Amino acid sequence: MRRFATMAGEMTMREPTREGVQTAAAKVAEILPPTPLLPFEVDGITLWAKAECLQPIGAFKIRGAWHRLTELSEAERARGVVGLSSGNHAQGVAWAARKLRIRATIVMPRDAPRVKLERTRALGAEIVLYERPGEDRDEVAQRVLEERGGTLVHAYADPWIIEGQGSTGIEISAQMERWAGGRPTRIVTPCGGGGLTAGLALACSEAEIVPVEPEGWDDVCRSLESGTIQSVAPDAPPTACDALQTLATRPVNFAVLKRRCRYGLRVSEAEVAAAQRFAFEHLRLVLEPGGAAGLAAVLAGKARAEGRTAVVLSGGNVDPARFAAAVLG
Amino acid sequence: MRRFATMAGEMTMREPTREGVQTAAAKVAEILPPTPLLPFEVDGITLWAKAECLQPIGAFKIRGAWHRLTELSEAERARGVVGLSSGNHAQGVAWAARKLRIRATIVMPRDAPRVKLERTRALGAEIVLYERPGEDRDEVAQRVLEERGGTLVHAYADPWIIEGQGSTGIEISAQMERWAGGRPTRIVTPCGGGGLTAGLALACSEAEIVPVEPEGWDDVCRSLESGTIQSVAPDAPPTACDALQTLATRPVNFAVLKRRCRYGLRVSEAEVAAAQRFAFEHLRLVLEPGGAAGLAAVLAGKARAEGRTAVVLSGGNVDPARFAAAVLG
């Protein structure tokens, strides 16, 4: 057991493990069919797209939320949960909470895509809004926790969340063994706080793991480059990738990333829109900007594609006008 | 063996069988993973969407083409194949032909969606265009056959094609047994010439099979109502459902439909667009208008949804401007 600083001060937190990922994968397999792994070609090379946008909530976040909430004791379940999210983790927590009959409160930014706010509410969660930028979401969540009690379910700085997201990698490995002639040698993935990325790293220890961030929101890239956790600059440019707008990764994530990721990649807003267009045309999938960041890195030639490369398409919750603008190019 | 009239005059054609569907399903399972079956809710009732738009060519047509072309003798393969299609069957035949190294020529209408023409060409097929309305596509295909020789691969009036499309139903049954508590009691499906519909009817003998057509292109609805094959009126209104613009079903299809379908349903262009919007928002899938017709019937309350109802989302090849217009509503 190691101790990490968290928003609630210093607390004991276990490290996520590969065994935990396998437990999570077994739990997820009981309630959710594997999302498809779809082949596609770039310059004559076949790659494999893991379509997490096809989860019932439209994003991989359902995995971590299910693993986390099913681990709560009866007493903890009775006190409810509090989540912090720009929208996809919100829906994951709300979905799992509804299924387990747990009260869920989610702290969300007022500028989250309307579709994410509406769906989180439709899943029965109570939403507490905060202003981004301006208010500190961790402080808002802390206030909600103090007022209502309950368990904080962080979007990425949590070993269960990391293990749950890692179940994506277990599925990718099994699917590629069947259809691609072997396990993945490389996984390119959108990266926000590093929950999914760390989970994939634990799940697929033989693969190169490549996190991709929007330009300016490259805290993980810079953290990997410097060897210590870096934050996004206060004057970071706007990005359509709302799901990847995290200010900094956390020690529980970075401990894994530092060990397993040699580098991260940055993609532009135009590259992200081009990836949404490609997924529309060649995969018939709806991707939100953040969900298309990994694909953007591949299509832009920034991520290498040879070997057996999987690309995670992490989410598809996007407002119609933004999507229409992307596919019309 | 029975004899049916076909475009090439009177020829011997076997009837499609359930055993043939099972053979096709086994062949398809070797090369294509099952497409996902995605749950969704309408008025509190859970339904199951079979996402055939996620096939490598973006439509179920890959199934029948694979079953048909793999049955050809070496001598037949050497002479090549000729297909007739508004675009999805074209891609299916081109895909299977490329994989089997067979020369493919496809007769397509000049007004087919650009994306379908381009992709068929990209798969290595030679395209012969005809004018719709005006030229008779069967006559054009006949001319191509006379000039070049080869085997005609009809889009629906062919027992192998019917059996191949029926493999969709075998997958639906297996997936619903695992996730929905039992085999489907009803399958709602877009219907053009009746290849897929007849295949589903053979595959899922215990389910009610409900074909759905665009208003005005309701030859199967009227054929079921009258008990004999009816054609689309010469003044049929325009429809965005290019994949469902067939003038009439054929005896090899209707023999199955008549036995197994009590009625068909008609949907409006607005209902189809609303279904495309629903799939975008709730399933994160890109559907072409024709691929959304079954879903449209469910969402409009025209198809019953109780029991264990599956809806086939048959294709997702659509030009960006048309799709953007549909999702923006």
Side-chain angles (χ1 to χ4, degrees), chain A:
Chain A
M1 300 287 263
R2 287 168 59 181
R3 292 171 73 82
F4 294 106
T6 73
M7 52 167 279
E10 204 61 27
M11 60 170 278
T12 301
M13 191 184 278
R14 69 178 181 86
E15 286 182 84
T17 65
R18 180 166 161 81
E19 293 64 43
V21 173
Q22 284 167 323
T23 303
K27 282 158 63 176
V28 166
E30 277 171 30
I31 55 156
L32 296 167
T35 53
L37 187 74
L38 305 169
F40 66 101
E41 265 183 41
V42 177
D43 297 334
I45 297 177
T46 299
L47 293 95
W48 302 83
K50 181 63 171 168
E52 286 296 295
C53 54
L54 296 179
Q55 292 286 9
I57 61 152
F60 70 96
K61 296 281 190 178
I62 198 169
R63 299 172 179 273
W66 183 248
H67 185 44
R68 181 73 192 95
L69 267 61
T70 50
E71 291 295 317
L72 294 175
S73 67
E74 280 305 317
E76 286 170 323
R77 291 188 193 195
R79 285 195 296 272
V81 293
V82 177
L84 259 172
S85 169
S86 84
N88 285 335
H89 176 63
Q91 290 177 75
V93 170
W95 187 91
R98 187 174 70 162
K99 211 164 171 75
L100 298 166
R101 297 168 194 276
I102 297 173
R103 188 175 60 121
T105 309
I106 316 282
V107 177
M108 294 180 75
R110 192 178 298 277
D111 67 355
R114 200 167 51 86
V115 74
K116 294 185 178 180
L117 290 163
E118 281 171 6
R119 288 192 204 142
T120 304
R121 213 171 267 126
L123 285 164
E126 190 182 335
I127 295 175
V128 175
L129 295 172
Y130 73 96
E131 302 295 335
R132 172 171 69 178
E135 283 186 279
D136 180 322
R137 76 177 192 172
D138 287 354
E139 281 171 19
V140 177
Q142 196 56 40
R143 202 173 61 230
V144 171
L145 273 176
E146 279 161 14
E147 282 167 18
R148 313 191 176 191
T151 301
L152 177 76
V153 182
H154 198 277
Y156 54 93
D158 178 307
W160 285 276
I161 294 293
I162 292 168
E163 291 167 351
Q165 320 305 30
S167 65
T168 314
I170 303 291
E171 288 181 17
I172 290 173
S173 283
Q175 290 168 316
M176 288 188 73
E177 283 207 308
R178 168 68 183 85
W179 296 102
R183 295 180 176 211
T185 53
R186 181 181 299 105
I187 302 180
V188 183
T189 182
C191 183
L196 173 60
T197 308
L200 292 167
L202 291 169
C204 303
S205 53
E206 66 288 1
E208 178 182 47
I209 306 294
V210 184
V212 181
E213 296 178 300
E215 283 175 2
W217 293 84
D218 56 350
D219 56 294
V220 167
C221 287
R222 290 191 294 109
S223 301
L224 290 170
E225 284 152 14
S226 69
T228 56
I229 292 178
Q230 306 292 316
S231 290
V232 164
D235 61 346
T239 175
C241 302
D242 62 278
L244 308 182
Q245 279 186 297
T246 41
L247 295 174
T249 187
R250 294 289 180 84
V252 67
N253 308 86
F254 193 60
V256 178
L257 302 185
K258 199 173 151 179
R259 204 164 63 228
R260 294 277 292 108
C261 303
R262 289 187 298 118
Y263 59 92
L265 297 172
R266 298 159 178 93
V267 287
S268 71
E269 299 296 300
E271 287 164 348
V272 164
Q276 288 179 285
R277 201 153 56 241
F278 181 94
F280 160 80
E281 191 177 331
H282 296 277
L283 298 169
R284 295 89 189 173
L285 289 174
V286 175
L287 296 185
E288 61 184 276
L295 181 59
V298 168
L299 297 177
K302 294 178 175 179
R304 298 198 308 160
E306 76 286 14
R308 288 185 298 271
T309 297
V311 182
V312 181
L313 310 179
S314 54
N317 294 313
V318 53
D319 284 331
R322 185 179 287 282
F323 189 75
V327 301
L328 292 173

Side-chain angles (χ1 to χ4, degrees), chain B residues 33 86 108 149 181 191 222 248 250 326:
Chain B
S86 86
M108 294 180 75
C191 183
R222 289 191 295 109
R250 294 287 180 85

